[in-house]
Amino acid sequence: MAKPTGFMEYKRVENASISPLERIANFKEFHPKLDEDARREQAARCMNCGVPMCGAALKLKGMVTGCPLHNYIPEWNDALYKGQFDMAAWRLLKTSSFPEFTGRVCPALCEKACNCGSPVVGEEAVTVHDNELFIIEKAFATGYMKAEVPKTRSGKKVAVIGSGPSGLAVADWLNRRGHSVTVFEREDRAGGLLMYGIPNMKLEKNIIERRINLMKEEGVEFVFNADVGRSASADHILGEYDAVALCCGAKKARALNAVGIEKLLADGKGAAGGKMLAVDFLTAVTKCVISTSSALEKISMQPTNGQIAQMLKKLYG
Ligand code: SF4
């Protein structure tokens, strides 16, 4: 257990948020992190529950509560509190391939399920999400995170289609097992929605590149601009590889359940018509931010920073 009285001694403190008026000046992340001592105090709040609902992933009324990865949350909270950072990272990485992504963008089902935040205990949930991010960033900063090339290879070749979170996780696990993995991605960079769906201020793109570089060092190969079935031959892949994992499709926009929506989108679909699906807009913005394209400039009705500032002033005073 982290600290038996921690949850009574320390109040929950989350990473701060830079004010909206400041953060619109750029596309950078806007949650400055707590320092090490403050973060360890937050880890001390974990009660190491007999039944840790945070990582249980129980199904209640058809819905999952707690971490779907079954993360060993009390274990790494304990290690974090004690300053055993390598141990914390080791336990965290046992169940989570990419804590640097989930520590930033996961909606933290663990915290919704945390017993500390229940009416019985009467406190606020442990900051599991921010603790996770601290552990993995510490692991990168100290050099704990380094390429681990499999000692032996199985001789089997696997093609992974799509390099979103699922494709990357599949590639990571299969590579660890010694298979030779090639990831095919239709965009010019890996990450899928991580790269071209989640805005830069939520997940800076160099964080994804850092992980991709690590995976490359570990032996995973990436082929970009390969739209399998179109620009890349599916028959060739089926003939060349022992197995194929399909990890694609998340970028397909969900249909809006509104009368006349097809006509609305068909009439001048795209930036020129002033209407875009959000997923296309986010892709365009991110491409602009990382300078692979100037697509953002083509989007009409793009509010200026000044207009956004006025809007936010109205909202927040
Ligand atoms: S439910 Fe909350 S307090 Fe209990 S072990 Fe999980 S994080 Fe710690």
Side-chain angles (χ1 to χ4, degrees), residues 75-142:
E75 290 189 36
W76 39 261
N77 274 335
D78 178 59
L80 172 57
Y81 163 63
K82 290 173 178 159
Q84 298 167 347
F85 302 122
D86 288 357
M87 168 70 85
W90 180 59
R91 298 308 288 162
L92 173 57
L93 290 160
K94 278 280 172 200
T95 52
S96 175
S97 287
F98 311 118
E100 70 272 33
F101 304 155
T102 46
R104 287 178 165 84
V105 299
C106 171
L109 302 180
C110 50
E111 295 186 15
K112 312 296 180 294
C114 173
N115 292 329
C116 195
S118 74
V120 178
V121 178
E123 296 290 338
E124 287 187 277
V126 174
T127 54
V128 179
H129 175 269
D130 291 350
N131 293 357
E132 175 187 17
L133 183 57
F134 179 91
I135 292 168
I136 189 64
E137 286 305 325
K138 186 83 177 172
F140 273 105
T142 59

Side-chain angles (χ1 to χ4, degrees), residues 196-228:
Y196 287 132
I198 296 172
N200 198 66
M201 73 284 266
K202 291 243 173 194
L203 175 58
E204 290 188 358
K205 304 313 164 193
N206 60 339
I207 301 294
I208 304 167
E209 294 291 343
R210 179 178 66 182
R211 174 59 72 165
I212 299 303
N213 289 337
L214 194 63
M215 291 177 70
K216 284 180 181 171
E217 276 185 64
E218 290 172 337
V220 178
E221 290 184 15
F222 289 86
V223 181
F224 298 122
N225 301 306
D227 195 356
V228 176

Side-chain angles (χ1 to χ4, degrees), residues 15 52 103 112 121 167 186 196 225 247 260 267 281 295:
N15 286 338
K112 312 296 180 294
V121 178
R186 70 178 168 181
Y196 287 132
N225 301 306
C247 305
D267 291 347
F281 176 78

Side-chain angles (χ1 to χ4, degrees), residues 133-192:
L133 183 57
F134 179 91
I135 292 168
I136 189 64
E137 286 305 325
K138 186 83 177 172
F140 273 105
T142 59
Y144 178 83
M145 292 298 292
K146 52 183 184 299
E148 304 219 357
V149 181
K151 290 190 175 61
T152 55
R153 287 288 177 189
S154 66
K156 300 288 183 192
K157 292 171 68 179
V158 182
V160 176
I161 315 301
S163 70
S166 61
L168 293 180
V170 165
D172 180 46
W173 281 107
L174 291 177
N175 185 58
R176 286 194 215 181
R177 295 289 178 105
H179 306 307
S180 299
V181 182
T182 304
V183 181
F184 293 86
E185 167 57 50
R186 70 178 168 181
E187 290 286 357
D188 58 347
R189 285 180 160 81

Side-chain angles (χ1 to χ4, degrees), residues 45-49 51-55 73-74 77 113-116 126 128:
R45 297 185 67 244
C46 178
M47 305 183 295
N48 191 15
C49 304
V51 182
M53 297 301 288
C54 52
I73 293 164
N77 274 335
C114 173
N115 292 329
C116 195
V126 174
V128 179

